[in-house]
Amino acid sequence: MPSRELSLVDNARRAGLARPVQVLAVTGGKGGVGKSSVAVNLAAALAGAGKRVVLLDGDLGLANVDVFLGLSPRYTLQHVLSGERTLDEILLESSQGFQVVPAASGIAQLANLDAPAHLGLVQAFSSLAARIDVLIVDTAAGIAHGVTQFSQAAQQVVVVICDEPASLTDAYALVKVLSRQHGVNRFRVVANMARSPGAGADLFHRFERVAARFLDVVLDFVGEIPLDECLRRAVRAQRPVLDAYPASPAAGAFKKLAARADKWPVPAGPRGNVEFFVERLVQRPAVHLEAVP
Ligand SMILES: Nc1ncnc2c1ncn2[C@@H]1O[C@H](COP(=O)(O)OP(=O)(O)OP(=O)(O)O)[C@@H](O)[C@H]1O
Ligand SMILES: [Mg+2]
């Protein structure tokens, strides 16, 4: 029989070696800029690269990840919040090898979650920690409480912009509120619907010039997704473009983005906020801590 000391050491080692879960919130301020498209295709690309991915539909009141993937959820987060089902029980398997946490549409209780309920939801994900590598949260448009809470709770905030004045002003407002009120000061920016190669980088620089001047934030340009009719067709076919048109320019761009995202370091320790999988960060041993560059 192992001694008590030995089992304590073993437990500590097991806890210490717990792999951190990377959490990406995909957001952007404005509606229709491509947040769900980026979230769904990033999930498909990372799953395709062998990662165990869960995609959370964080648009709690107007769910549409299920529609993007042609899934018909029987149970949703509504049933988790009411205590009828566990998070595990509502997980759906996508055809692309990742799992989906579906939200519900038109349920006011979900759309207007108060802070304690939101915290409970974030904490509920800890039960999945040992089985997943990446959690992607597709957030709603706007800067309402649900969006800022999910973004703050994520380890990486991915801001999707496109070449429309309202996209830039709304993304600016979102970055401002997240940095000033929620302690988020690093953002990964994706330029979507780029009309020509390089147009996304130009758009990013326009955004950065304003944001970096007035806000104390770090913005990383992490890639552009071309305006691609294949993506539109894939949405209509309720499939990720990676699956429906794997050779399309958009699919190639998502694969590149996923390869990049795969290298983003998980922050070294908890940041003192409501955070997904916070206990994994607390348990990581010092030798494994990485500095965020
Ligand atoms: N790169 C692209 N090329 C062509 N069409 C695109 C591209 N990205 C998005 N779209 C189109 O724009 C539509 C809106 O995209 P999507 O639903 O992903 O945006 P969203 O930001 O999640 O919107 P909402 O704020 O309503 O949740 C999609 O249905 C798709 O047809
Ligand atoms: Mg969406």
Side-chain angles (χ1 to χ4, degrees):
M1 219 164 88
S3 72
R4 184 174 149 67
E5 285 76 11
L6 202 60
S7 69
L8 282 179
V9 169
D10 282 348
N11 283 342
R13 186 176 299 136
R14 241 177 266 136
L17 290 177
R19 297 211 309 156
V21 180
Q22 179 68 284
V23 186
L24 317 175
V26 182
T27 189
K30 190 179 175 308
V33 292
K35 299 178 292 296
S36 300
S37 302
V38 169
V40 162
N41 285 289
L42 208 45
L46 286 166
K51 299 282 162 196
R52 298 169 301 170
V53 180
V54 170
L55 173 58
L56 162 63
D57 192 343
D59 199 342
L60 299 179
L62 289 172
N64 56 24
V65 164
D66 51 335
V67 181
F68 265 75
L69 295 167
L71 300 169
S72 312
R74 176 149 177 226
Y75 299 109
T76 67
L77 279 175
Q78 187 200 355
H79 299 95
V80 175
L81 289 164
S82 67
E84 289 165 70
R85 289 283 176 274
T86 63
L87 198 51
D88 229 358
E89 288 167 340
I90 70 160
L91 281 177
L92 293 174
E93 201 67 47
S94 76
S95 319
Q96 294 74 32
F98 58 91
Q99 291 184 302
V100 176
V101 179
S105 269
I107 308 282
Q109 181 209 0
L110 263 187
N112 306 312
L113 275 195
D114 59 14
H118 214 278
L119 171 60
L121 181 57
V122 167
Q123 285 170 340
F125 277 82
S126 295
S127 64
L128 307 179
R131 289 185 279 132
I132 72 176
D133 301 312
V134 186
L135 171 66
I136 299 176
V137 187
D138 175 25
T139 76
I143 55 170
H145 179 73
V147 175
T148 54
Q149 285 299 103
F150 277 137
S151 302
Q152 173 184 312
Q155 270 109 43
Q156 309 287 341
V157 178
V158 178
V159 177
V160 182
I161 57 175
C162 68
D163 196 359
E164 283 174 34
S167 165
L168 296 188
T169 52
D170 290 4
Y172 179 86
L174 175 71
V175 167
K176 180 175 169 185
V177 79
L178 283 173
S179 63
R180 298 225 169 131
Q181 291 169 28
H182 297 270
V184 182
N185 47 29
R186 181 177 197 123
F187 299 85
R188 315 271 183 181
V189 181
V190 174
N192 189 25
M193 307 191 205
R195 288 179 185 279
S196 58
D202 292 345
L203 178 66
F204 169 76
H205 290 306
R206 266 159 52 208
F207 180 58
E208 190 191 31
R209 264 199 297 278
V210 182
R213 186 158 154 219
F214 296 108
L215 305 173
D216 187 16
V217 294
V218 177
L219 303 173
D220 291 328
F221 178 52
V222 293
E224 64 184 21
I225 312 296
L227 182 70
D228 186 346
E229 179 56 28
C230 289
L231 199 154
R232 225 181 284 276
R233 265 188 250 146
V235 172
R236 281 201 294 271
Q238 298 186 287
R239 289 167 66 189
V241 71
L242 249 97
D243 186 25
Y245 302 100
S248 63
F254 283 122
K255 271 186 224 149
K256 238 194 241 169
L257 179 60
R260 226 170 261 168
D262 198 23
K263 298 204 175 73
W264 296 342
V266 178
R271 292 157 295 164
N273 290 326
V274 171
E275 216 171 321
F276 283 107
F277 309 112
V278 70
E279 56 296 314
R280 298 238 137 188
L281 297 171
V282 176
Q283 287 169 352
R284 296 176 73 197
V287 287
H288 282 206
L289 298 185
E290 304 161 42
V292 180

